[in-house]
Structure formats: C-alpha cells, structure tokens
Amino acid sequence: MLLTKDNLVKFVREKKYVTPTIIAESFETTTMIGSAALSELAQSKLVAISNIKLGSSPYYYDPLQKQCLIELGEKHLSGYEKEVFQICQSSFRERYC
C-alpha cells in the first residue's frame, strides 16, 4: 500500500490504534518514516497520541474512536496501574453513562 495521508488516516481508523512499527511493516517503509508520517497527522489533529507506549513508541489512535483507549489500557497496563485504570474507568461510567 502506498503511504499517503489519506491511506494512513484510513488505516488508523480501521486498526483503531497503531505504532510507527506497525505503519512501517504495513506500508513497507522505515519506522522513522512511519513515525514522521504519524507525527504529521497528529499535528493536523487527524490522529491523536496516547500516553500508553509500546517500548518507547506511543500509540496513535483515531480521535473519533476514543473507546480504543480502554482496550489499550486493558492490554498494556499491569499491576497498580491497571487497578487505578479500572477504578477510574468504573467511576467514569457511573458518572457519565
């Protein structure tokens, strides 16, 4: 697949969240190019950057699908962080859902 702005936005929307490494593998480019492309989309507010990281790479996600942050938290947090995350999540649901 050709690495264009439209293709990248479409890919992120389909996957919900990605890392530069996922972009590099899917678009057959380097991680540095994938990171730069995602950063450019983040500056344009077409994708958002999470505070949850895989190694040193942040996850980029579709800002219209914020529920994917819950999935990321469940997948990557552990121990005390996961407990706090679950408490915050249930508190949020009680107030706003």
Side-chain angles (χ1 to χ4, degrees):
M1 187 181 313
L2 188 61
L3 182 59
T4 64
K5 195 177 213 178
D6 291 336
N7 284 345
L8 189 53
V9 170
K10 184 178 176 182
F11 185 80
V12 173
R13 286 188 178 145
E14 287 173 3
K15 295 290 185 182
K16 296 183 190 173
Y17 51 86
V18 298
T19 62
T21 304
I22 293 170
I23 296 302
E25 291 171 358
S26 299
F27 288 90
E28 298 177 1
T29 187
T30 66
T31 304
M32 190 164 67
I33 297 293
S35 181
L38 287 167
S39 179
E40 185 178 324
L41 290 182
Q43 288 177 354
S44 302
K45 304 214 185 291
L46 295 172
V47 299
I49 305 171
S50 77
N51 289 323
I52 300 172
K53 296 183 178 187
L54 179 62
S56 63
S57 296
Y59 278 96
Y60 295 79
Y61 65 96
D62 177 10
L64 301 175
Q65 298 182 35
K66 290 183 181 175
Q67 70 275 9
C68 73
L69 294 174
I70 294 170
E71 193 176 316
L72 273 172
E74 292 290 332
K75 184 176 177 182
H76 290 286
L77 298 177
S78 62
Y80 179 73
E81 291 175 334
K82 191 166 190 171
E83 286 179 41
V84 171
F85 176 78
Q86 289 170 338
I87 291 168
C88 291
Q89 184 180 350
S90 64
S91 175
F92 177 81
R93 283 186 179 152
E94 288 173 7
R95 283 191 184 152
Y96 302 106
C97 295

